[in-house]
Amino acid sequence: MTIPVLPCASMPETLAFYRALGFEVTHEQTSPNVYAATRRGDVHLHFMGLKRLNPAESYSTCLVIVPEVERLHETFAEGLRKAYGKVPLAGQPRISRMKKGQSRFTVVDVAGNSVIFIRQGAPDDYDEGDPGSRSETRLGRALRAAARLRDFKNDDAAAAKVLDVALARDEPAAPIERARALAARAELAVVLGDPERARSLRAELDEVPLSGEERAQIQRDLGAIDALTPGGEGRPGAR
């Protein structure tokens, strides 16, 4: 067994965060050094105190391979909602969104550590879109770049900029591809605290000609962010 030891600036705050995720604190000490151990099922995470740690500049990351991710994400999101009054989607701490069929999601704790939960057997070449399809249009490449910036580097602003540039180009693309790009950008607008931009993007998305099945798929994708957003601020017409 390999157990990661992650740094933290405040052990009480860090342990409170992981308790909200359903982790059990199995060991805690303040001397001769600040240290704690947590466990959730077969997942073990340990923490050490680091006085000069700046969470905003933290780069510690670990990967956790789990049997499934969708129900786990739901459990984590509900625990964070109870602890913080909402599901934190930006800043620190936060949890990335989860779309149906997605193979991984990221939790960033109060110390700035990124813990990436990955479904066992998931492909290494993480992509955005339908399995087996890899579009090489500008929008297709932008979707993949934005997904990596959002889900691995936690840089929502950079992901939004990538999509803005691609969407502004008048280049041929399948309607479903443009719809996915608009949906991804609308999600980022919500996370970045720009509900007006989210509403305008979703209004534009409503005008894209899609089949009934494609429209249903896009609505399911958008539902992932709506479910995590109090009051559904990203939905057109929301107040």
Side-chain angles (χ1 to χ4, degrees):
M1 176 185 293
T2 301
I3 300 176
V5 180
L6 303 172
C8 68
S10 169
M11 188 64 75
E13 290 182 11
T14 296
L15 295 182
F17 175 81
Y18 282 93
R19 284 190 176 103
L21 298 181
F23 280 76
E24 170 193 4
V25 178
T26 59
H27 175 75
E28 184 178 2
Q29 66 182 48
T30 56
S31 64
N33 58 301
V34 178
Y35 194 91
T38 69
R39 179 181 64 196
R40 190 182 193 280
D42 294 332
V43 178
H44 295 253
L45 296 175
H46 289 198
F47 301 92
M48 62 177 181
L50 193 60
K51 291 182 180 180
R52 291 182 292 277
L53 176 69
N54 181 352
E57 298 176 355
S58 178
Y59 55 84
S60 298
T61 302
C62 75
L63 309 180
V64 181
I65 309 301
V66 293
E68 65 83 32
V69 290
E70 292 188 29
R71 289 193 303 275
L72 184 62
H73 184 277
E74 291 176 2
T75 300
F76 283 3
E78 184 57 30
L80 293 175
R81 193 194 308 276
K82 290 179 179 177
Y84 294 94
K86 64 177 183 178
V87 179
L89 300 175
Q92 292 174 343
R94 66 180 177 274
I95 185 171
S96 64
R97 59 85 175 107
M98 186 78 205
K99 295 179 181 179
K100 186 173 180 58
Q102 190 171 309
S103 64
R104 64 201 69 196
F105 67 91
T106 301
V107 169
V108 180
D109 67 20
V110 293
N113 300 306
S114 294
V115 184
I116 305 174
F117 292 85
I118 304 174
R119 187 185 71 240
Q120 189 171 8
D124 292 333
D125 54 341
Y126 177 68
D127 204 348
E128 185 79 9
D130 291 333
S133 69
R134 184 180 178 88
S135 170
E136 292 301 332
T137 66
R138 181 180 293 274
L139 281 177
R141 294 194 299 271
L143 273 167
R144 291 195 295 275
R148 290 186 172 90
L149 286 165
R150 179 191 60 210
D151 297 338
F152 291 102
K153 295 190 176 181
N154 299 307
D155 194 337
D156 297 322
K161 184 175 181 180
V162 166
L163 289 173
D164 282 340
V165 170
L167 285 165
R169 301 273 186 152
D170 187 18
E171 295 186 2
I176 185 60
E177 197 165 56
R178 184 167 186 83
R180 287 197 181 105
L182 288 167
R185 184 60 182 89
E187 174 189 313
L188 286 164
V190 172
V191 172
L192 292 168
D194 190 352
E196 290 299 323
R197 175 73 167 139
R199 281 192 283 269
S200 68
L201 285 160
R202 294 183 71 156
E204 183 179 350
L205 174 57
D206 287 341
E207 300 301 317
V208 178
L210 299 173
S211 69
E213 182 178 349
E214 290 171 337
R215 181 73 62 186
Q217 177 60 55
I218 292 298
Q219 291 305 317
R220 285 194 296 271
D221 289 348
L222 289 170
I225 194 70
D226 289 338
L228 300 181
T229 308
E233 288 93 332
R235 292 191 290 272
R239 294 291 184 264

